[in-house]
């Protein structure tokens, strides 16, 4: 059986991964084509984002039918083949389950709109007056979170897009429908679930205006969330000891995350939180521009590492996913130090306590595309915010700069397989364009060069498998006040591993001797992104984005 503490998960956004039939849209057969590539990388699990039947308003996070494969992605036979072919390479499949909401095209919602009482109670409908929404809560994609339905003279709640109606978890029948969905996919042989915004499912019993925020404090980590997760666990994946789960936790707290992921609570295996990815939000606002706050980043990592270890919880470690801009474009320098900054960021995240996640293309350094016109964007959130910023009078150039740095489409461009047309993603017209840099930055080039980012990731993955200290060791932040360096020690019994990362394009000096006792210890270099001896521990000069890990015994 796999140990998730020693495992690495690879995230696939199938729409942008590999198109096998030339329709411009990635598909499951495309994923099968690339399994040998993933085996070479050494990952243990693939997390597949939603491929169920969906109008694709939010690229599959708006589900119309949980039990079938959308024809754009392929067929159920393709899915079954994918499970089988992955298994034969010792890779397991994690499915993405969206249970906070369904598409308004789901038959439950259609029946609700037709006035069927049973299905109306699957969602959150409230009587209200036209033009006076039930509360002032904001949808995460912009605008008010309540939508008025003329025919019923009622509103329904949608925390995301207007076509994503929130489900009512207080309804037992609805919860049972959800257990059926999970059990259906377990029978297909999947070995894990990623639960979309799962900490938002428990809504308050009465709805009131939020006079100090956007409403999230009323439904985030809601009052029945732990009860619902325990029940879900007991009725589905909790019956198997080889299924892992990861909850996507929006605006959450360490205290709740410990509960979600402490094995004694019988809820989930691990959690994603996003606090470390808000360090470049000016006053907490995503749609603004700001350099990242390094001090804050260090503090967040330190607090979460310590908090989760002390509380016996378990973190998912990640920089990138399909909602986040590429991390090398964000916290690195892809123009001057593409390889150095991409590998430094990889080291910094992978060797902490938790299970690392790699997002497609990250393993060979894909970057943000730098789209110049709104026509190149596809994401519903980006387009909504483009309009919102326009209506606030922000000028076009400014808006485009904000989107270039913040849009979710930054990570959704086609995987750059080689230097052929459309980056080898499709023989047709891609649904979203690849940036020009695919001619240089692509998987083929990376595979052909043993010194590439790809092989660096491969090595990081193998270190976690070999070094118990990385998988199970304690965490201590080093050089706490250093303005450029994020360094930490992992420790297990008498062994310690020191990880050092220069987050800037300038050289700097560090002194490890002040914090680590090197006397009489054997030093072994595990990985580094510059050629260096690392044989002295005082006044170490670090080059731009230099990063290394050494083992002391
Ligand atoms: O995302 C949840 C979520 O709130 C964000 O990551 C969101 O995209 C960001 O905060 C906006 O600034 C999940 C999925 O990962 C995302 O793709 C879906 O759109 C969303 O849920 C709704 O299902």
């Amino acid at each position: 059986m796999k140990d998730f503490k020693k495992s690495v998960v690879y995230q696939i956004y199938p729409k942008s991964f590999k198109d096998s039939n030339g329709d411009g849209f990635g598909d499951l057969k495309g994923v099968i084509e690339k399994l040998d590539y993933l085996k070479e990388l050494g990952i243990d699990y693939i997390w597949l984002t939603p491929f169920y039947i969906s109008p694709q308003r939010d690229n599959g996070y708006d589900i119309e039918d949980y039990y079938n494969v959308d024809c754009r992605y392929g067929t159920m036979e393709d899915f079954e083949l994918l499970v089988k072919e992955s298994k034969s390479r010792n890779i397991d499949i994690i499915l993405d389950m969206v249970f906070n909401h369904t598409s308004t095209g789901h038959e439950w919602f259609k029946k609700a709109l037709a006035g069927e009482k049973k299905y109306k109670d699957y969602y959150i409908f409230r009587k209200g007056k036209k033009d006076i929404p039930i509360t002032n809560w904001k949808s995460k994609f912009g605008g008010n979170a309540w939508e008025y339905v003329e025919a019923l003279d009622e509103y329904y709640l949608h925390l995301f897009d207007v076509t994503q109606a929130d489900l009512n978890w207080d309804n037992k029948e609805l919860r049972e429908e959800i257990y059926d969905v999970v059990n259906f996919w377990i029978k297909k042989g999947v070995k894990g679930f990623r639960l979309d915004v799962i900490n938002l499912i428990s809504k308050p019993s009465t709805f009131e205006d939020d006079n100090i925020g956007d409403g999230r404090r009323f439904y985030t980590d809601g009052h029945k969330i732990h009860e619902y997760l325990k029940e879900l666990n007991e009725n589905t994946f909790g019956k198997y000891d080889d299924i892992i789960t990861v909850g996507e936790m929006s605006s959450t707290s360490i205290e709740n995350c410990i509960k979600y992921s402490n094995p004694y609570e019988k809820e989930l295996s691990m959690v994603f939180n996003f606090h470390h990815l808000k360090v470049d939000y000016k006053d907490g606002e995503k749609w603004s521009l700001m350099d990242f706050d390094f001090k804050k980043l260090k503090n967040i990592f330190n607090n979460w590492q310590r908090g989760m270890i002390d509380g016996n919880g378990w973190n998912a470690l990640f920089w990138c996913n399909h909602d986040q801009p590429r991390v090398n474009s964000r916290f690195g320098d892809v123009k001057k130090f593409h390889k150095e900054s991409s590998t430094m960021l990889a080291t910094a995240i992978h060797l902490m306590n938790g299970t690392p996640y790699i997002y497609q293309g990250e393993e060979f350094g894909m970057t943000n595309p730098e789209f110049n016109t709104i026509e190149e964007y596809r994401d519903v959130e980006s387009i909504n915010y483009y309009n919102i910023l326009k209506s606030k009078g922000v000028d076009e150039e400014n808006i485009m700069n904000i989107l270039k740095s913040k849009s979710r489409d930054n990570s959704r461009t086609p995987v750059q397989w080689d230097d052929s047309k459309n980056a080898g993603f499709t023989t047709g017209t891609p649904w979203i364009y690849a940036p020009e840099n695919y001619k240089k930055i692509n998987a083929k080039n990376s595979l052909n060069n043993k010194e590439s980012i790809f092989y660096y990731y491969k090595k990081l993955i193998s270190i976690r498998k070999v070094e118990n200290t990385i998988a199970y060791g304690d965490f201590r932040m080093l050089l706490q006040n250093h303005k450029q360096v994020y360094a930490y020690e992992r420790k297990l019994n008498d062994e310690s591993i020191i990880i050092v990362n220069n987050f800037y394009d300038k050289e700097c000096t560090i002194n490890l001797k002040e914090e680590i006792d090197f006397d009489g210890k054997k030093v072994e270099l595990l990985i580094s992104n510059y050629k260096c001896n690392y044989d002295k521990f005082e006044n170490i000069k670090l080059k731009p984005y230099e990063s290394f890990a050494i083992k002391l015994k």
Side-chain angles (χ1 to χ4, degrees):
M1 207 174 65
K2 284 181 184 171
D3 175 357
F4 66 78
K5 301 192 172 177
K6 288 205 145 211
S7 298
V8 175
V9 182
Y10 185 89
Q11 185 193 349
I12 291 184
Y13 196 66
K15 193 168 182 172
S16 307
F17 189 68
K18 177 76 177 89
D19 174 18
S20 73
N21 61 358
D23 65 358
F25 208 90
D27 46 45
L28 297 178
K29 277 204 177 114
V31 178
I32 298 174
E33 273 177 37
K34 296 295 179 186
L35 286 173
D36 286 331
Y37 167 82
L38 297 176
K39 187 175 158 61
E40 169 70 21
L41 183 60
I43 52 104
D44 305 277
Y45 291 91
I46 291 172
W47 150 27
L48 270 179
T49 66
F51 51 78
Y52 323 101
I53 295 183
S54 153
Q56 297 290 313
R57 169 98 173 159
D58 189 21
N59 290 343
Y61 284 90
D62 45 336
I63 299 176
E64 264 182 22
D65 175 355
Y66 289 102
Y67 291 99
N68 282 295
V69 177
D70 194 293
C71 60
R72 277 166 282 211
Y73 292 108
T75 61
M76 190 58 92
E77 286 69 47
D78 295 343
F79 178 75
E80 286 161 358
L81 185 63
L82 171 61
V83 173
K84 192 167 152 246
E85 288 295 318
S86 306
K87 188 94 239 158
S88 74
R89 290 164 178 84
N90 198 23
I91 294 172
D92 286 304
I93 302 292
I94 296 177
L95 288 192
D96 205 322
M97 291 284 150
V98 188
F99 292 142
N100 178 65
H101 45 265
T102 70
S103 162
T104 49
H106 195 289
E107 73 163 326
W108 299 339
F109 195 79
K110 288 192 197 150
K111 288 181 175 167
L113 281 190
E116 263 189 65
K117 203 175 161 300
K118 167 174 168 166
Y119 293 102
K120 261 186 81 192
D121 200 46
Y122 275 24
Y123 295 90
I124 301 169
F125 279 93
R126 287 292 179 277
K127 274 266 173 263
K129 286 201 182 71
K130 198 176 175 185
D131 299 325
I132 311 175
I134 308 300
T135 65
N136 64 351
W137 298 1
K138 270 196 178 150
S139 146
K140 308 233 180 219
F141 292 166
N144 187 276
W146 295 94
E147 180 71 7
Y148 181 69
V149 181
E150 189 94 57
L152 298 170
D153 193 26
E154 284 182 51
Y155 284 84
Y156 68 87
L157 179 69
H158 63 92
L159 295 182
F160 293 88
D161 187 56
V162 57
T163 65
Q164 291 166 304
D166 280 57
L167 288 166
N168 175 18
W169 274 69
D170 295 332
N171 179 327
K172 189 153 198 299
E173 264 180 289
L174 180 267
R175 297 203 299 277
E176 281 165 358
E177 297 259 20
I178 283 167
Y179 308 151
D180 291 346
V181 173
V182 177
N183 290 324
F184 170 86
W185 290 103
I186 290 176
K187 284 209 189 83
K188 295 266 174 212
V190 312
K191 293 291 173 210
F193 295 97
R194 178 262 187 193
L195 302 170
D196 191 60
V197 287
I198 197 69
N199 68 326
L200 308 186
I201 58 172
S202 169
K203 310 294 195 284
S205 33
T206 52
F207 292 96
E208 52 186 297
D209 274 351
D210 190 349
N211 298 320
I212 53 170
D214 61 5
R216 71 182 65 194
R217 66 197 174 98
F218 292 116
Y219 57 74
T220 303
D221 303 317
H223 66 300
K224 287 197 169 168
I225 183 62
H226 296 288
E227 183 188 318
Y228 290 156
L229 282 178
K230 286 183 170 72
E231 198 185 289
L232 172 67
N233 175 306
E234 196 184 323
N235 286 284
T236 61
F237 45 77
K239 295 181 189 148
Y240 310 84
D241 54 12
D242 62 345
I243 294 187
I244 66 167
T245 49
V246 53
E248 188 200 26
M249 305 302 177
S250 170
S251 304
T252 188
S253 65
I254 296 182
E255 195 192 357
N256 274 297
C257 283
I258 289 171
K259 255 191 136 177
Y260 294 135
S261 62
N262 182 321
Y264 296 108
E265 296 287 338
K266 293 197 171 27
E267 294 185 13
L268 304 173
S269 317
M270 63 184 112
V271 287
F272 288 115
N273 83 78
F274 296 88
H275 296 283
H276 63 299
L277 295 174
K278 294 184 177 170
V279 295
D280 53 1
Y281 288 13
K282 203 170 168 186
D283 305 320
E285 164 59 36
K286 169 171 170 171
W287 302 96
S288 60
L289 290 175
M290 185 186 115
D291 282 344
F292 75 106
D293 182 339
F294 182 55
K295 194 169 168 220
K296 200 164 166 191
L297 181 70
K298 281 173 66 165
N299 281 336
I300 290 171
F301 278 149
N302 190 34
N303 292 341
W304 277 84
Q305 286 284 299
R306 272 272 44 92
M308 292 295 268
I309 292 174
D310 293 341
N312 198 25
W314 196 254
N315 253 319
L317 305 170
F318 72 106
W319 288 123
C320 301
N321 69 25
H322 62 292
D323 296 330
Q324 298 293 331
R326 295 282 178 180
V327 70
N328 50 2
S329 297
R330 185 174 187 178
F331 301 148
D333 180 345
V334 293
K335 300 251 151 50
K336 284 201 235 107
F337 297 103
H338 178 244
K339 183 180 155 190
E340 293 80 1
S341 60
S342 305
T343 49
M344 180 281 289
L345 289 160
T347 322
I349 201 92
H350 271 249
L351 301 182
M352 286 195 277
N353 180 272
T355 298
Y357 284 64
I358 299 170
Y359 178 68
Q360 61 185 35
E362 180 187 336
E363 74 280 10
F364 58 87
M366 274 181 64
T367 68
N368 288 351
E370 307 257 316
F371 289 147
N372 284 313
T373 60
I374 188 65
E375 287 71 35
E376 288 162 285
Y377 287 95
R378 303 286 177 266
D379 172 31
V380 52
E381 184 197 40
S382 306
I383 294 166
N384 285 353
Y385 271 95
Y386 172 84
N387 291 322
I388 290 170
L389 294 171
K390 272 245 126 146
S391 69
K392 284 187 177 156
V394 184
D395 66 76
E396 184 80 13
E397 194 185 331
N398 258 323
I399 302 181
M400 291 319 295
N401 284 337
I402 293 175
L403 287 180
K404 269 184 201 176
S405 123
K406 297 296 168 87
S407 169
R408 304 196 298 178
D409 281 339
N410 282 315
S411 55
R412 297 176 179 185
T413 55
V415 171
Q416 299 169 195
W417 293 109
D418 55 39
D419 61 3
S420 67
K421 197 166 174 236
N422 296 317
F425 163 70
T426 180
T427 53
T429 308
W431 70 276
I432 186 168
Y433 288 101
E436 269 307 295
N437 69 19
Y438 76 80
K439 296 197 175 112
K440 257 179 65 194
I441 301 173
N442 61 58
K444 193 172 165 202
N445 276 349
S446 223
L447 280 171
N448 284 336
N449 170 8
K450 289 280 172 214
E451 302 287 307
S452 69
I453 302 176
F454 179 91
Y455 290 104
Y456 195 92
Y457 268 84
K458 183 172 170 163
K459 193 160 180 191
L460 280 174
I461 297 170
S462 70
I463 290 176
R464 174 166 293 270
K465 300 227 154 22
V466 182
E467 305 293 344
N468 284 336
T469 303
I470 295 299
Y472 311 115
D474 200 2
F475 170 95
R476 176 166 70 107
M477 185 150 94
L478 305 172
L479 310 172
Q480 195 121 13
N481 297 318
H482 201 290
K483 296 217 159 38
Q484 266 183 247
V485 174
Y486 175 51
Y488 52 91
E489 177 189 36
R490 303 295 314 280
K491 198 166 172 41
L492 189 67
N493 306 323
D494 59 348
E495 181 177 292
S496 81
I497 295 179
I498 315 290
I499 297 104
V500 172
N501 308 287
N502 178 6
F503 266 71
Y504 288 88
D505 60 356
K506 285 177 200 63
E507 292 192 353
C508 66
T509 310
I510 57 165
N511 184 358
L512 288 174
K513 260 202 166 152
E514 279 172 9
E515 297 187 55
I516 306 280
D517 180 14
F518 288 93
D519 280 351
K521 302 240 167 79
K522 216 179 96 217
V523 179
E524 183 191 334
L525 176 65
L526 294 179
I527 193 163
S528 66
N529 64 355
Y530 279 86
K531 285 205 168 57
C532 203
N533 288 327
Y534 305 104
D535 52 3
K536 61 169 199 138
F537 308 103
E538 271 173 307
N539 300 324
I540 312 174
K541 278 231 158 21
L542 293 178
K543 298 193 188 64
Y545 300 105
E546 182 162 354
S547 174
F548 66 84
I550 49 175
K551 179 158 93 173
L552 306 181
K553 215 176 167 168

